[in-house]
Amino acid sequence: MNISFLNFAPMHSAIRAEMQAAFESVYDSNWFIMGKHLEAFETAYAQYNGTRHAIGVSNGLDALVLGLKALGVGEGDEVIVPAHTFIASVLAVSHVGANPIFAEPDPKTYNLDPEAVEQVITPRTKAIMPVHLYGQACEMDRIMQVARRHDLLVIEDNAQAHGSHFKGQATGTFGDVAGISFYPGKNLGALGDGGMVVTNRDDTAEQVKTLRNYGSKMKYLNELNGYNMRLDELQAAFLQVKLKYLPEWTLARCQIAQWYTKHLQDIPNLILPYCHYDAGHVYHLYVVRTNRRDLLQKHLKSLGIETLIHYPIPPHLQPIYKSLKLAGSFSIAENLAETCLSLPLWVGMDEETVVHVSSAIKNFFENKN
Ligand SMILES: *Cc1c(COP(=O)(O)O)cnc(C)c1O
């Protein structure tokens, strides 16, 4: 049995007719950018997330760039980012001319540690960017307390945690602004690139709308050095269909995670995902950890089971940030990069498949490969 890391087929076959109708609706409208499909999806997403504004943009990285820009973060500012995250969180900070300042993750949740944040605050710190990694909400009460105490802006990277929550409050609603990704593999994925900026701030929403469209509020009148970073009608129409199913798909992900935990829990030396008691987890990824990660991955590959590593090289060790000379400075993040392994997880995966993967993992540890 070959098991791929991702498999869109079960999810997409169930909504084929609705997606075709969405395509036809856009096709027949003869209107492809900034039209009624985008507006409808923005309204629906704002309602889903519980924010005043949702602004469709080109992708998740651009959503973070626009959010930072709209808040006035730029040259000379420092933005605190987790040392364990996808590179886009950090690139967004660099793109607006600000300096990313790394802080260690919590060794249990792998999310930004509020205490580590407080330790790297300087007079130049302008903002904090918590990333709700793997689908688990950060400890947002403590992070917001730190932000208030030091008068800092908060930009949430919610690319992996659509529908997650902390103490019952949805991710994406804590900070000044949040960036969301609709990359196909995300919990809510387009059939291409897409993203969203959500905010409760009217001024920020206005800035983002202007910046995403050539810096123009009125056609051919340009007030800002803007971009072309819009979400197109076709992707908006597809996303509108998929958004309806997101709560159901999120439950499916949690069920799969529960199966993995049930079938993997007795393996010594294998660390399973830890969920903070106040945090929601929407299992964008099911990540396990072991010191023998590379051998385990090889073993699974030989059995036709595909796994991925999120992420093999932490941002501060990437060539683009090498000049910061931070090697060895973030031992928790560096250890995570060496021990993490993401198991196959997709909507439609059944318990038998989870048992198959789990048995292969058990087998690896029992045979002391
Ligand atoms: C996917 C992702 C992004 C970037 O989103 P894109 O749509 O791929 O540009 C940013 N941050 C995190 C944590 C992500 O997982």
Side-chain angles (χ1 to χ4, degrees):
M1 176 157 50
N2 275 342
I3 299 167
S4 55
F5 182 74
L6 270 184
N7 177 7
F8 293 116
M11 173 198 262
H12 282 170
S13 71
I15 58 168
R16 186 182 192 92
E18 278 185 273
M19 293 294 264
Q20 279 174 334
F23 166 78
E24 279 172 22
S25 172
V26 175
Y27 199 76
D28 293 338
S29 75
N30 290 302
W31 191 277
F32 305 107
I33 301 282
M34 302 282 270
K36 63 175 198 223
H37 295 91
L38 175 62
E39 257 177 53
F41 176 58
E42 288 176 337
T43 303
Y45 199 87
Q47 196 179 0
Y48 171 76
N49 204 359
T51 52
R52 277 168 70 81
H53 306 279
I55 303 134
V57 299
S58 31
N59 56 61
L61 171 58
D62 290 349
L64 295 170
V65 169
L66 288 169
L68 288 162
K69 270 255 173 210
L71 291 172
V73 178
E75 215 68 50
D77 293 331
E78 292 181 354
V79 179
I80 300 169
V81 293
H84 179 64
T85 183
F86 180 54
I87 191 71
S89 321
V90 190
L91 292 180
V93 174
S94 299
H95 273 305
V96 302
N99 298 317
I101 302 296
F102 298 99
E104 284 275 40
D106 178 296
K108 274 157 85 181
T109 64
Y110 317 142
N111 271 332
L112 191 58
D113 177 355
E115 253 169 59
V117 169
E118 198 138 31
Q119 281 163 15
V120 295
I121 290 173
T122 76
R124 283 188 301 278
T125 307
K126 182 80 178 260
I128 308 172
M129 185 186 288
V131 182
H132 307 295
L133 205 66
Y134 303 156
Q136 177 167 201
C138 294
E139 279 181 72
M140 287 312 293
D141 53 351
R142 290 176 65 205
I143 289 173
M144 293 310 294
Q145 277 164 18
V146 172
R148 273 186 221 106
R149 202 151 52 233
H150 299 271
D151 198 19
L152 304 175
L153 296 162
V154 173
I155 298 100
E156 294 176 70
D157 180 340
N158 201 24
Q160 301 191 356
H162 321 68
S164 196
H165 49 84
F166 189 82
K167 290 191 174 169
Q169 184 179 340
T171 52
T173 66
F174 290 89
D176 294 275
V177 71
I180 291 156
S181 168
F182 302 127
Y183 178 78
K186 298 292 160 76
N187 287 22
L188 178 60
L191 306 186
D193 275 315
M196 187 79 100
V197 176
V198 297
T199 179
N200 284 318
R201 287 179 55 162
D202 296 342
D203 57 339
T204 309
E206 194 67 27
Q207 279 294 98
V208 170
K209 280 184 197 164
T210 309
L211 284 167
R212 79 168 164 183
N213 192 35
Y214 311 116
S216 166
K217 275 189 195 129
M218 207 197 296
K219 203 165 190 182
Y220 304 126
L221 186 68
N222 301 85
E223 300 167 46
L224 299 170
N225 186 12
Y227 307 92
N228 176 355
M229 292 183 172
R230 304 169 301 209
L231 180 66
D232 64 68
E233 287 285 285
L234 205 46
Q235 295 304 340
F238 291 144
L239 285 162
Q240 171 102 23
V241 171
K242 293 181 87 173
L243 179 60
K244 274 194 307 186
Y245 296 93
L246 185 56
E248 185 184 311
W249 291 340
T250 301
L251 287 176
R253 286 178 177 280
C254 293
Q255 173 68 80
I256 294 161
Q258 225 179 328
W259 286 331
Y260 268 128
T261 300
K262 180 171 90 182
H263 296 294
L264 292 172
Q265 64 187 345
D266 299 327
I267 303 176
N269 306 321
L270 185 73
I271 301 170
L272 303 185
Y274 167 86
C275 195
H276 184 281
Y277 47 88
D278 280 325
H281 202 320
V282 293
Y283 291 97
H284 171 58
L285 297 169
Y286 189 92
V287 178
V288 297
R289 289 175 59 210
T290 164
N291 290 330
R292 295 158 70 211
R293 191 266 315 274
D294 292 344
L295 285 173
L296 173 61
Q297 185 175 41
K298 224 165 143 189
H299 170 77
L300 294 174
K301 191 179 173 198
S302 74
L303 297 171
I305 299 168
E306 186 189 15
T307 57
L308 293 178
I309 297 168
H310 300 94
Y311 298 91
I313 305 172
H316 70 280
L317 300 182
Q318 292 288 348
I320 116 143
Y321 295 116
K322 263 222 163 103
S323 63
L324 299 175
K325 295 198 174 6
L326 291 171
S329 310
F330 301 97
S331 54
I332 300 171
E334 289 173 26
N335 181 254
L336 288 174
E338 286 165 5
T339 55
C340 277
L341 189 67
S342 306
L343 304 184
L345 194 166
W346 70 85
V347 172
M349 192 173 185
D350 57 14
E351 188 169 8
E352 198 190 326
T353 311
V354 172
V355 168
H356 182 80
V357 176
S358 304
S359 307
I361 295 172
K362 244 181 235 163
N363 191 265
F364 169 81
F365 283 99
E366 278 165 7
N367 289 332
K368 305 251 183 308
N369 289 269

